[in-house]
Amino acid sequence: MQWGLPWPGETVATQAESAGAGAFCAGEFADLSAYVTAAQMVRSTATAWVGPGIAYAFARSPFVHAASVRHLAKQAAGRVFLGLGAGTPRMNRDWFGVDAEHPALRMAELVEVVRLFLRADNGEPIRYQGDFYSIEADIRAPVLGRLDVPILIGAFNRVMVRTAGRVADGVLGHGLFTDRWWDEVVEPELSRGASIAHRTSEELKRWGWVITAVNDTDPERAVADARLQIAFYLTVRTYDALVELHEWQDEVSAIRAAFHSGDPRSMARHVTDDMLRAVAVCGDSAQAKDMMSDRKRLPDIAFLAAPSFLVSARRRSEYDVAATCLMQDRS
């Protein structure tokens, strides 16, 4: 397993890259742009993969995604990737003001169009006619030329994972992914998607986030932060298929009731030890190493992601440093 971090800032990233970090990714939210963060990453790293992980796919046109990737690749040739996520229906409708019905089909077309923009030679028009995108781009400027950039889809449920297997270069797994979810859902659907495209799933990338909170001084707080992050994720019904696979319905019902109770921190007590060990790496260094060793299906590149829900930026940075030390000691 290779490892990386969601972007921790230049200082920690320098330490992490020296310790063997192979990749950094950039998420986004209402106050955070994945592409702006990716621009910071390319200036502050030398060898690691860098890229959005994920950028909201439908909030931007294929042209904008491709142009942003080309811009990044000028400064980090050969080490830029693009991770795209559909977002939730509510986000697309109410936040972005875009139509996102049939997200898997729409995502497939978007990936195909982005690839056309990235692989076009100078003087070659870019044409695409689909159900969601119609492109007729004749770019009369010497700015193109084939650019091979891995495109990964932040896929969770079966149809989107299958779509990643069919049109993308791999999947970027969610922080909730368990060994069973990788084995029983992701692998079969990646294979189905790949077979539709007449290729093998072995060539696909399997990257993903892993909730990681290590603190040798206060391991109980690290565990509590990990439990709270898991609980926060499980308030989202998109992930109910994973809940059903593990038969966590009672715990998740209690988590959702606590979330709406006015005391969101109380959600954490409904995350059982079994749930914690299935999802996270946390506690002191010894416990974290044990939990990591117990996992049989960690991603090929694991982004060791500090908990963020009700966790300060300072404490997240401390978790990033601790994760770096953990991996340096592990090697």
Side-chain angles (χ1 to χ4, degrees):
M1 179 197 81
Q2 293 183 288
W3 66 281
L5 297 170
W7 182 239
E10 181 177 359
T11 301
V12 177
T14 300
Q15 178 185 348
E17 199 170 31
S18 297
F24 298 99
C25 66
E28 62 182 355
F29 198 59
D31 61 344
L32 196 66
S33 165
Y35 285 115
V36 172
T37 304
Q40 297 168 358
M41 294 193 294
V42 299
R43 290 196 301 268
S44 305
T45 58
T47 60
W49 285 101
V50 291
I54 59 168
Y56 294 128
F58 308 139
R60 303 172 178 89
S61 71
F63 174 91
V64 171
H65 285 299
S68 299
V69 168
R70 282 190 176 276
H71 199 160
L72 293 170
K74 290 177 183 178
Q75 301 177 64
R79 58 189 186 92
V80 173
F81 69 91
L82 173 58
L84 295 169
T88 66
R90 180 176 62 87
M91 292 170 69
N92 282 289
R93 181 187 63 245
D94 298 343
W95 297 14
F96 311 149
V98 297
D99 181 6
E101 290 189 5
H102 310 291
L105 295 174
R106 189 181 298 269
M107 178 70 80
E109 287 195 8
L110 185 140
V111 169
E112 290 169 346
V113 178
V114 170
R115 272 225 190 85
L116 287 176
F117 275 111
L118 292 178
R119 293 181 175 178
D121 286 323
N122 288 323
E124 178 184 344
I126 298 139
R127 297 188 175 94
Y128 187 90
Q129 186 62 53
D131 293 326
F132 305 101
Y133 296 100
S134 178
I135 304 295
E136 185 74 30
D138 190 2
I139 300 171
R140 297 288 181 174
V143 296
L144 299 180
R146 185 181 179 93
L147 189 63
D148 287 315
V149 171
I151 301 176
L152 293 86
I153 295 177
F156 196 102
N157 286 316
R158 295 177 186 274
V159 176
M160 193 64 80
V161 175
R162 194 182 315 144
T163 300
R166 181 168 65 86
V167 302
D169 296 296
V171 65
L172 190 55
H174 193 278
L176 282 176
F177 277 21
T178 63
D179 289 351
R180 286 189 65 189
W181 194 256
W182 279 107
D183 281 340
E184 298 179 33
V185 175
V186 177
E187 286 300 334
E189 295 301 341
L190 279 179
S191 294
R192 289 189 183 99
S195 67
I196 293 169
H198 304 291
R199 56 180 179 164
T200 64
S201 64
E202 285 75 13
E203 64 191 87
L204 301 175
K205 300 181 187 301
R206 293 148 173 87
W207 298 3
W209 288 45
V210 178
I211 298 170
T212 308
V214 181
N215 187 326
D216 287 327
T217 303
D218 192 354
E220 291 183 0
R221 186 169 196 177
V223 170
D225 284 341
R227 288 185 195 274
L228 190 59
Q229 185 65 50
I230 294 168
F232 178 64
Y233 281 149
L234 290 174
T235 62
V236 180
R237 296 187 183 278
T238 301
Y239 311 135
D240 280 354
L242 180 142
V243 173
E244 293 167 6
L245 177 70
H246 287 278
E247 299 182 346
W248 291 342
Q249 293 95 326
D250 291 344
E251 292 85 353
V252 170
S253 292
I255 285 168
R256 291 173 181 171
F259 182 62
H260 294 290
S261 71
D263 180 18
R265 288 188 183 277
S266 66
M267 295 189 298
R269 66 171 175 260
H270 302 293
V271 176
T272 67
D273 290 346
D274 287 344
M275 296 167 72
L276 186 72
R277 294 193 74 88
V279 174
V281 171
C282 60
D284 61 21
S285 295
Q287 179 179 340
K289 288 178 182 177
D290 287 343
M291 294 175 78
M292 189 171 286
S293 296
D294 286 345
R295 294 288 296 274
K296 306 305 180 187
R297 286 303 312 271
L298 286 168
D300 298 336
I301 294 182
F303 294 101
L304 306 180
S308 59
F309 183 65
L310 300 180
V311 176
S312 69
R314 176 188 58 79
R315 198 152 83 250
R316 292 198 302 273
S317 183
E318 291 171 355
Y319 286 142
D320 290 334
V321 172
T324 298
C325 293
L326 179 76
M327 298 309 294
Q328 191 169 28
D329 292 344
R330 190 171 179 261
S331 63

